[in-house]
Amino acid sequence: MSEIQKPKETETIPFYPDHIKTEIRVVWVMLGIAILVGAIAMFFPVGLEEPADPMVTPAHTKPEWYFLALYQILKISKIPGTNITIQPEIWVSLILVALLILLILPFIVKKGDSKKNIRNRLIGSVIFVLVAIALTIQGWFS
Amino acid sequence: MRETFSNRIKVLIIIVLLFGSGILIASKAHGKQMLTEGYKIEHSGETIDWEVTENVIIQTASSQRPPDPEQDECLHCHISGSAENLWVPLTRWVTFGTVGIVMAFGFTRSVWVWRNRKPWEPISTRVGNWIDERYQTKNALEKVLNKPVPNWATRWWYCLGGITAFLFVIQAVTGIMLAFYYKPTPEAAYESIQYIENEVLFGASIRAIHHWAANGMIVMCIAHMLRVFIMGAFKAPRELNWSSGVILLITTLAFGFTGYLLPWDQRAYWASTVGSAIAGSVPDVGELILVFLRVGWNITAATLSRFFALHVIVLPIMVIVFMGLHFLMIRKQGLKEPL
């Protein structure tokens, strides 16, 4: 047995101090980033726009960036290439249903631990992220 | 036993009296020196007449009122009292106090070692033993701390959830700091944010950390969720962990939505208008949701109050409860083994 054996996947480390130490290292990095953000903000603050005025509607009203993708979906009123119109209510209902499915996902999907399943979920997630990013960018510049 | 105890008390009282009086004399002497030096600057070459000094102090105090907030060049200097040297006594107490405590501790320790003829036990051991004698915490704590963790748990993609949790801690701390200065009314909200940005010491930094950490929290939340989804860790027996995680994601998004209105500028107002209008287009119950969110049909002072209450009271409680459940469940069940 001259070759070096890999450590088994079942080997463990104690929670304290080994695991805590790695977590504290992450915490230090995060704190450093936070302080860096604070330092940069002394020269480039978050800032404010004009005070809120219900009488004056700005040219572009947008939600926060993390709702932009959903907002873009709601704006789709026609399926491209067809004449079928879609009311925003239908999109909102679909999003709510999707959220509900997300909430009870483990009660629907019960199997799937093979390499193939993981690869499929990976591909699905990448497509989801790419579509979300594309919609967000589209919403950002529209 | 009893005798040693009373002897110890005696020794302690002597130490406290000795060092306490020493600290008091030293700090008084230091304070007097500071006062006379300040006085010397104004009246150089004169001997001190304490009645005159008192009058001078009263006069200057009444004539040097801080200017109005709009005309004040350094408002936070007045608010934090640095313009009036209010911090000097505290620094004095801290300096002399630290020296006094260190010396008193050294003295007590020497006396203890000399009287008991055995090596000194560290304070942490003593405090630990004291608590353990009363509440038997040692075994439970050891069990928690020595719990074995799989060695692959230190790979980087397992820290995404931890980062989210830590960002929440940052949000809580900076949020409390902002809440000290923020005023949740339409008339005062915008100005109080301006005040935080321009006048409060490090106010702009704290606000920026709160702003960017909020965005980071959402990104990390989604990244953590995708990791769990791809690896299939959401399946049985961890169903409730996934569901509580989805609830935490929704709560985080609600945090972002309610917090966005608080600055009460144009962007905030119209983003909230659009957002609540989307919530209002839910079939059937949409208008009820809209009225409930806006407290009426339009975004008004009542909306701001409601969003503020949701943002600083309701949602934090929800996050803490569900995060606690989330952590307890993963602690009990352990991480899912990767393939």
Side-chain angles (χ1 to χ4, degrees):
Chain A
M1 298 295 278
S2 58
E3 60 186 51
I4 302 157
Q5 279 190 328
K6 271 188 174 178
K8 281 179 192 166
E9 286 286 288
T10 46
E11 272 179 15
T12 58
I13 51 167
F15 179 64
Y16 176 87
D18 292 47
H19 195 235
I20 289 265
K21 251 184 208 163
T22 17
E23 292 190 345
I24 283 176
R25 225 172 283 155
V26 175
V27 164
W28 280 124
V29 172
M30 299 299 297
L31 271 181
I33 293 171
I35 290 168
L36 192 72
V37 166
I40 291 170
M42 296 177 99
F43 307 101
F44 305 100
V46 177
L48 280 165
E49 284 191 356
E50 294 293 299
D53 189 351
M55 299 297 136
V56 182
T57 314
H60 303 286
T61 57
K62 279 177 205 163
E64 302 92 302
W65 67 263
Y66 34 87
F67 292 130
L68 269 180
L70 293 180
Y71 189 52
Q72 284 306 109
I73 293 175
L74 293 180
K75 276 192 197 165
I76 302 168
S77 57
K78 255 184 195 174
I79 294 175
T82 59
N83 258 340
I84 308 163
T85 53
I86 305 170
Q87 299 295 321
E89 284 88 7
I90 293 167
W91 283 125
V92 173
S93 316
L94 283 177
I95 288 165
L96 281 181
V97 169
L99 208 60
L100 188 72
I101 289 173
L102 200 65
L103 200 63
I104 58 167
L105 184 71
F107 300 98
I108 303 166
V109 182
K110 293 191 172 169
K111 285 179 190 167
D113 264 336
S114 65
K115 282 241 151 96
K116 202 181 161 196
N117 291 130
I118 290 182
R119 202 194 57 207
N120 287 346
R121 283 199 293 262
L122 179 67
I123 291 167
S125 303
V126 168
I127 290 170
F128 168 79
V129 169
L130 287 180
V131 168
I133 289 174
L135 283 172
T136 307
I137 290 170
Q138 193 199 0
W140 190 266
F141 291 107
S142 67
Chain B
M1 182 71 198
R2 203 172 194 176
E3 208 186 350
T4 13
F5 185 69
S6 61
N7 272 343
R8 261 183 221 174
I9 296 256
K10 264 183 224 163
V11 170
L12 256 180
I13 290 172
I14 291 169
I15 291 165
V16 167
L17 283 180
L18 215 67
F19 283 100
S21 52
I23 292 162
L24 268 179
I25 291 166
S27 69
K28 277 283 173 211
H30 184 69
K32 199 172 262 180
Q33 194 194 352
M34 296 292 284
L35 184 67
T36 44
E37 266 176 14
Y39 183 73
K40 269 180 206 158
I41 295 165
E42 283 188 338
H43 308 263
S44 49
E46 289 175 25
T47 48
I48 303 160
D49 183 348
W50 281 103
E51 275 183 24
V52 176
T53 317
E54 216 179 308
N55 287 334
V56 166
I57 289 170
I58 292 166
Q59 275 171 19
T60 47
S62 54
S63 65
Q64 289 178 345
R65 282 266 162 74
D68 290 334
E70 303 86 55
Q71 292 153 7
D72 203 337
E73 278 177 19
C74 184
L75 194 55
H76 63 251
C77 304
H78 277 118
I79 290 166
S80 64
S82 18
E84 313 283 325
N85 286 332
L86 292 187
W87 288 88
V88 174
L90 179 69
T91 25
R92 201 155 64 224
W93 273 98
V94 168
T95 316
F96 287 103
T98 313
V99 172
I101 286 168
V102 167
M103 287 175 81
F105 173 69
F107 191 74
T108 329
R109 189 175 139 158
S110 307
V111 169
W112 190 90
V113 170
W114 174 59
R115 286 182 60 87
N116 291 293
R117 302 310 195 259
K118 57 179 177 181
W120 173 257
E121 290 165 24
I123 300 278
S124 52
T125 322
R126 282 155 185 268
V127 172
N129 288 342
W130 191 90
I131 293 171
D132 188 50
E133 270 170 32
R134 279 152 188 80
Y135 306 106
Q136 290 82 44
T137 47
K138 221 165 229 178
N139 277 337
L141 202 67
E142 262 170 23
K143 213 175 167 187
V144 170
L145 288 180
N146 291 339
K147 172 150 181 143
V149 177
N151 56 1
W152 37 261
T154 49
R155 290 177 190 164
W156 69 264
W157 53 85
Y158 286 105
C159 76
L160 294 169
I163 287 176
T164 317
F166 183 65
L167 281 174
F168 177 73
V169 174
I170 290 185
Q171 289 301 78
V173 173
T174 53
I176 290 169
M177 287 173 173
L178 292 173
F180 280 134
Y181 293 97
Y182 178 72
K183 294 170 187 156
T185 60
E187 295 80 26
Y190 186 79
E191 274 180 24
S192 68
I193 299 284
Q194 271 185 327
Y195 182 77
I196 288 169
E197 286 271 285
N198 301 324
E199 299 289 349
V200 177
L201 200 59
F202 295 119
S205 303
I206 296 295
R207 181 166 175 240
I209 293 172
H210 197 75
H211 176 92
W212 292 112
N215 291 327
M217 204 171 150
I218 286 162
V219 173
M220 285 298 152
C221 234
I222 292 169
H224 174 60
M225 200 173 99
L226 287 174
R227 196 275 294 169
V228 171
F229 176 71
I230 292 164
M231 297 183 81
F234 61 89
K235 294 197 302 296
R238 299 183 181 77
E239 297 100 329
L240 290 179
N241 226 330
W242 171 269
S243 300
S244 64
V246 172
I247 292 171
L248 282 171
L249 174 71
I250 295 168
T251 321
T252 313
L253 291 174
F255 256 123
F257 180 64
T258 50
Y260 211 70
L261 178 69
L262 300 185
W264 201 253
D265 60 355
Q266 279 289 66
R267 192 173 13 170
Y269 186 90
W270 292 100
S272 297
T273 310
V274 172
S276 49
I278 292 171
S281 61
V282 174
D284 274 354
V285 287
E287 289 187 333
L288 180 69
I289 295 173
L290 183 90
V291 167
F292 192 75
L293 270 179
R294 292 186 181 173
V295 201
W297 295 98
N298 293 309
I299 291 184
T300 56
T303 323
L304 187 58
S305 287
R306 176 153 298 182
F307 275 33
F308 181 69
L310 286 173
H311 191 80
V312 303
I313 301 167
V314 180
L315 295 174
I317 291 173
M318 264 185 78
V319 163
I320 288 165
V321 167
F322 280 99
M323 230 181 226
L325 290 173
H326 204 68
F327 286 169
L328 278 179
M329 284 189 280
I330 198 65
R331 182 84 200 191
K332 182 81 187 166
Q333 297 177 322
L335 291 170
K336 186 188 189 305
E337 275 197 44
L339 279 184

